[in-house]
Amino acid sequence: MHILIPTAISVLVPAVFLYLVRRLDLYASGSIGSVLLCMVGGLAAFPVSFVLNTGSYRFLAVGMGSAAAILAVKTVVAPVVEEVSKSALVTWYSRRPEFTYFVDGAIYGFAAGTAFAIVENLFYLQRANDLLAMSVNRSFSSSLMHGSASALVGVAVGR
């Protein structure tokens, strides 16, 4: 029971943000199917990013030591790997005829980033000491960051 509330927060808060962004789409140009497709891309991006980030850490740790390698991965490698992997499907989808307006890119990018953030939240929740604090902090910070960063990429490819 003690994991239920933090898990609900980790999933529902980002999902509500996505719902609000989708609901505020004044142009209503993007379909819900397209949003769900881009969410699948965001879900798939997490394991890809995890493998690439872990591999990068192991490679770098050999030459620069553990502490420096973790710093390099957190500040240089992971941001690039995660943004590219989260935005890959959105970039591909932007070339399809259903993609009609740059706002579509923002919504689809936000969907991919939000799905990624939900999986990442659940991943970190498994390793947290204070489950409630972790779920609240990540839901209101990292979830918005992942969604917003991917939305910006979506706008860029949508233009």
Side-chain angles (χ1 to χ4, degrees):
M1 173 82 169
H2 74 286
I3 187 88
L4 184 62
I5 291 173
T7 300
I9 290 169
S10 294
V11 173
L12 293 177
V13 170
V16 167
F17 288 141
L18 176 58
Y19 171 79
L20 292 173
V21 166
R22 172 75 171 101
R23 184 92 168 127
L24 292 173
D25 178 12
L26 301 177
Y27 300 98
S29 55
S31 73
I32 191 68
S34 300
V35 169
L36 292 174
L37 175 67
C38 290
M39 286 184 76
V40 169
L43 292 172
F46 181 80
V48 169
S49 297
F50 182 80
V51 167
L52 292 174
N53 290 338
T54 302
S56 297
Y57 165 74
R58 289 180 179 151
F59 176 77
L60 293 171
V62 171
M64 61 175 45
S66 182
I70 197 77
L71 182 62
V73 170
K74 283 183 176 182
T75 59
V76 179
V77 176
V80 174
V81 166
E82 291 177 7
E83 288 315 312
V84 169
S85 62
K86 287 186 300 186
S87 302
L89 187 64
V90 176
T91 302
W92 170 80
Y93 196 71
S94 72
R95 313 236 186 290
R96 305 202 32 92
E98 306 88 64
F99 196 101
T100 57
Y101 197 63
F102 77 93
V103 175
D104 290 346
I107 292 169
Y108 299 154
F110 197 85
T114 299
F116 181 94
I118 288 170
V119 177
E120 189 179 64
N121 288 350
L122 295 173
F123 175 79
Y124 280 107
L125 197 58
Q126 293 174 9
R127 289 151 179 75
N129 292 327
D130 187 344
L131 300 177
L132 187 59
M134 176 67 80
S135 65
V136 170
N137 287 336
R138 290 199 57 81
S139 293
F140 286 99
S141 63
S142 297
S143 296
L144 286 173
M145 179 276 303
H146 282 298
S148 298
S150 296
L152 289 172
V153 173
V155 168
V157 298
R159 293 200 51 62

